[in-house]
Amino acid sequence: MKGDAYLKCIDPKCGLEYSIENTNVQCEKGHLLDVKYKNKPPSSLKEVFYKRRNSEGSIFNESGVWRFRELLNFCQIDTENLEECSKYLVSLDGAEGRQSKPYRMSKAAEFIGIPNNNLWLQPEGYNPSGSFKDNGMATAVTHAKMVGAKKIVCASTGNTSAAAGMFAANEGINCDVYIPAGQIAPGKLSQAYQFGAQIIEVDGNFDDALKQSLDDAQNHDGYTVNSINPFRIEGQKTIPFRALEYLNWKVPDWIVYPGGALGNTSSCGKALMELYEWGWIEKIPRIAVINSEGASTLSDLYNGEFENEKLRWNKGNPNVELISRYYDHLDKEGLKPKTKATAIQIGRPANILKGLRALEFTNGVVTTVTDSEMLDGMSVVGLNGFDCEMASGATVVGIKKLVNEGTIKKDDVVVGILTGRQKDAMIPVDYHKNPENKFAIPPRN
Ligand code: F0G
């Protein structure tokens, strides 16, 4: 297996390659990197993954991430050798991804207006730190450990910091967290404190915090664990892997995510590109990305709402100047991302190019929803006995919007990802207190 995995620049005109021990998140020309594998995993592994659902005492089988370890074997270990797994693979006792699978939620289906049998919602909020981030953090911290990093660093709207802090504490490494001061749900911030992370408050928004954290990581020997780290993307591929496995690898028509920094969009795209190339799937589901109306960079650019040009990956030749002009325009007009769904309050999605590549490969779509719609989406999920946060509510109402406009057909099979659990206790309380809200059940005395 040694020599099988390496890093490669995503820009086909550049294509610089690096060894798997490289810790830079970009090539020397400043482009994003992919983890690549020379070997083609055989589809007979589907059986192995299925069998591992009976874990037989192994945390690496119990883990919803490492159960698929052959498809993310950047450590290049003998994946059947559990001693090697223990030495290399970072896991919170097998808990990451363990409870995640697609569920039917009849009230959400009814609200959306599609048959219950066609809608699957996959809660990622039941991960140990309460969001999908644990999937990618298990792999990023595995790589950090592999290269002997002493400190991991991230910027966060909250969930990343909770996941990073949790794994860092469990592995005995330090963790610095850059947060936009005053813009983080208290429940998320308290997790980072609880796990012993060093919080650095940045006077600005998430985009400012990310810039500062990247500078500090570079200057002070920190290992960046934001989703621009290609090893984060490897772990997040297991979100669609689990969905596909539970559907017996029968590919749905759509996979739907809220869009922030676009790590999820990128990882879903990479997972599908690999599965297709390896002959594991014959059909390609379409990805739909749901932006908040107040943080709609991807939607604006993809749908041609800026300078009337629809930004595309364009086979590796995206119009990057258009993106720069859009950011200049935001700066010049003093436009800042603004939504109550702070998890996705992001103006400069760091993975935008990988996101565009994913959308091109899957013939994807991007749309926006309002804050009040997201609250309804979040609340209807609750009525099915599942918890999710406001940003995840975007998935539900995004599907509804796309069904209403006829983009998603009523007989399409849709998998929506509910990215995180509620960590802002007052959001549901305030929602339900107001009888005007669609699903409100106001308190009575
Ligand atoms: N949903 C939740 C609950 C999130 O926490 C995030 C991102 C997203 C969606 C967006 O996902 O970046 O892959 O497009 N939260 C980050 C954080 C940025 O710092 O916790 P994306």
Side-chain angles (χ1 to χ4, degrees), residues 254-257 265 286-290 298 302-303 312 359 362-367 402 405 407-408:
W254 294 90
I255 302 183
V256 185
Y257 289 97
T265 312
R286 298 177 73 182
I287 294 178
V289 182
I290 318 299
L298 181 69
Y302 194 73
N303 295 320
R312 290 292 182 272
L359 288 165
T362 65
N363 187 23
V365 300
V366 186
T367 193
L402 292 169
E405 68 188 37
T407 307
I408 296 182

Side-chain angles (χ1 to χ4, degrees), residues 132-133 155-160 206 258-264 343-344 346 389 391-392 419-420:
F132 75 92
K133 304 284 177 177
S156 184
T157 60
N159 284 323
T160 296
F206 170 80
L262 303 176
N264 268 328
I344 51 172
I346 292 172
E389 69 169 85
S392 312
T419 43

Side-chain angles (χ1 to χ4, degrees), residues 130-133 154-163 178 180 184 188 206 226-227 232-233 236 257-267 289-291 341-346 349-351 388-393 395 417-421 423:
S131 82
F132 75 92
K133 304 284 177 177
C154 66
S156 184
T157 60
N159 284 323
T160 296
S161 66
Y178 289 74
I184 245 193
K188 295 176 180 173
F206 170 80
N226 279 99
S227 56
R232 270 280 303 275
I233 301 297
Q236 283 175 215
Y257 289 97
L262 303 176
N264 268 328
T265 312
S266 306
S267 55
V289 182
I290 318 299
N291 273 163
T342 48
I344 51 172
Q345 186 169 263
I346 292 172
N351 288 299
C388 76
E389 69 169 85
M390 193 172 160
S392 312
T395 295
I417 310 299
L418 304 175
T419 43
R421 195 163 186 162
K423 296 177 181 176

Side-chain angles (χ1 to χ4, degrees), residues 232-253:
R232 270 280 303 275
I233 301 297
E234 290 308 286
Q236 283 175 215
K237 290 190 310 193
T238 64
I239 298 172
F241 289 165
R242 287 191 295 273
L244 289 169
E245 188 190 52
Y246 276 89
L247 302 180
N248 287 321
W249 300 94
K250 214 171 156 271
V251 176
D253 298 293

Side-chain angles (χ1 to χ4, degrees), residues 111-357:
F111 171 56
I112 289 169
I114 56 172
N116 190 28
N117 285 351
N118 292 356
L119 178 72
W120 296 95
L121 293 173
Q122 180 162 313
E124 290 294 326
Y126 297 99
N127 274 297
S129 85
S131 82
F132 75 92
K133 304 284 177 177
D134 295 352
N135 293 288
M137 204 56 76
T139 45
V141 179
T142 292
H143 187 251
K145 195 170 130 182
M146 179 175 137
V147 298
K150 300 277 180 292
K151 181 174 79 174
I152 61 171
V153 180
C154 66
S156 184
T157 60
N159 284 323
T160 296
S161 66
M166 180 186 76
F167 281 110
N170 206 240
E171 292 299 320
I173 51 182
N174 293 327
C175 177
D176 283 359
V177 169
Y178 289 74
I179 57 146
Q183 295 177 31
I184 245 193
K188 295 176 180 173
L189 190 55
S190 72
Q191 282 182 290
Y193 276 118
Q194 169 70 1
F195 296 135
Q198 174 64 60
I199 311 288
I200 297 121
E201 292 185 320
V202 175
D203 185 18
N205 58 25
F206 170 80
D207 303 314
D208 303 316
L210 179 61
K211 191 172 175 302
Q212 200 172 319
S213 86
L214 292 174
D215 290 347
D216 283 9
Q218 202 159 38
N219 299 333
H220 300 104
D221 236 3
Y223 179 98
T224 292
V225 294
N226 279 99
S227 56
I228 50 166
N229 176 329
F231 297 92
R232 270 280 303 275
I233 301 297
E234 290 308 286
Q236 283 175 215
K237 290 190 310 193
T238 64
I239 298 172
F241 289 165
R242 287 191 295 273
L244 289 169
E245 188 190 52
Y246 276 89
L247 302 180
N248 287 321
W249 300 94
K250 214 171 156 271
V251 176
D253 298 293
W254 294 90
I255 302 183
V256 185
Y257 289 97
L262 303 176
N264 268 328
T265 312
S266 306
S267 55
C268 185
K270 184 168 191 275
L272 297 172
M273 286 191 280
E274 290 176 343
L275 292 176
Y276 191 74
E277 190 189 313
W278 297 336
W280 286 45
I281 54 171
E282 271 157 24
K283 185 181 116 181
I284 302 165
R286 298 177 73 182
I287 294 178
V289 182
I290 318 299
N291 273 163
S292 155
E293 210 173 78
S296 57
T297 298
L298 181 69
S299 176
D300 291 351
L301 289 169
Y302 194 73
N303 295 320
E305 277 152 32
F306 179 69
E307 292 186 3
N308 285 322
E309 179 178 338
K310 291 187 174 177
L311 180 66
R312 290 292 182 272
W313 171 244
N314 194 19
K315 298 196 177 86
N317 291 295
N319 185 352
V320 286
E321 279 87 40
L322 186 73
I323 306 176
S324 303
R325 286 201 299 279
Y326 180 84
Y327 291 159
D328 288 346
H329 154 80
L330 294 185
D331 288 344
K332 216 170 102 219
E333 302 294 322
L335 297 169
K336 306 262 183 225
K338 185 100 195 88
T339 164
K340 214 170 161 208
T342 48
I344 51 172
Q345 186 169 263
I346 292 172
R348 295 170 186 246
N351 288 299
I352 191 162
L353 295 181
K354 281 186 181 176
L356 290 170
R357 184 178 66 173

